[in-house]
Amino acid sequence: MHWNAYSQQPPSAQPAASPSQAQAPPRGEVEAASDYMSRMDADGDGRIALSEYVDWMSYAFDARDADRDGVLAAGELPGGKGQPIAREQHRQRLAERFARQDANHDGWLDAQELAAPPR
């Protein structure tokens, strides 16, 4: 399973649980690929759309953007240094990653594609 700093949301970013998620662990405690998929799958259709992927994976950007200006300045980046990145640049990178993970090029990620190593 591909896990990284952008793959799990901290409990503070967790929306109110639906009845089906009431027994699920907080986002920061994803235990299995199926749990990860179900939490990312906002509309519950069993597949991940680009918008669901980008929204889920953007939590870290939003959490670090302390001044809410839509840009991570050097001081807001991990380690406190690096080139600034705008929210749209970040979202574009996520879209590119999504396209690489979409092995069958159908515009959706299924559980197998989501769990595959980064391409």
Side-chain angles (χ1 to χ4, degrees):
M1 168 80 35
H2 169 63
W3 304 102
N4 64 38
Y6 297 105
S7 296
Q8 298 175 349
Q9 290 190 344
S12 63
Q14 178 178 337
S18 68
S20 66
Q21 293 178 329
Q23 300 302 316
R27 286 186 173 184
E29 299 175 22
V30 174
E31 296 175 350
S34 61
D35 186 36
Y36 182 63
M37 174 101 177
S38 69
R39 290 169 181 272
M40 189 181 284
D41 185 12
D43 63 9
D45 68 355
R47 58 190 184 170
I48 306 302
L50 174 60
S51 61
E52 291 171 318
Y53 183 84
V54 171
D55 288 348
W56 176 273
M57 302 294 270
S58 291
Y59 83 89
F61 184 102
D62 296 335
R64 290 190 167 278
D65 187 13
D67 60 8
R68 303 288 180 237
D69 67 351
V71 175
L72 293 184
E76 295 170 316
L77 292 170
K81 58 185 174 182
Q83 295 296 315
I85 182 169
R87 179 176 282 110
E88 284 310 308
Q89 288 174 295
H90 174 72
R91 293 177 70 85
Q92 181 60 40
R93 288 179 186 171
L94 292 173
E96 291 165 3
R97 185 184 314 164
F98 179 95
R100 288 190 305 271
Q101 288 301 112
D102 183 13
N104 64 2
H105 309 290
D106 67 353
W108 304 92
L109 296 182
D110 60 27
Q112 185 175 5
E113 290 168 325
L114 189 61
R119 299 183 200 303

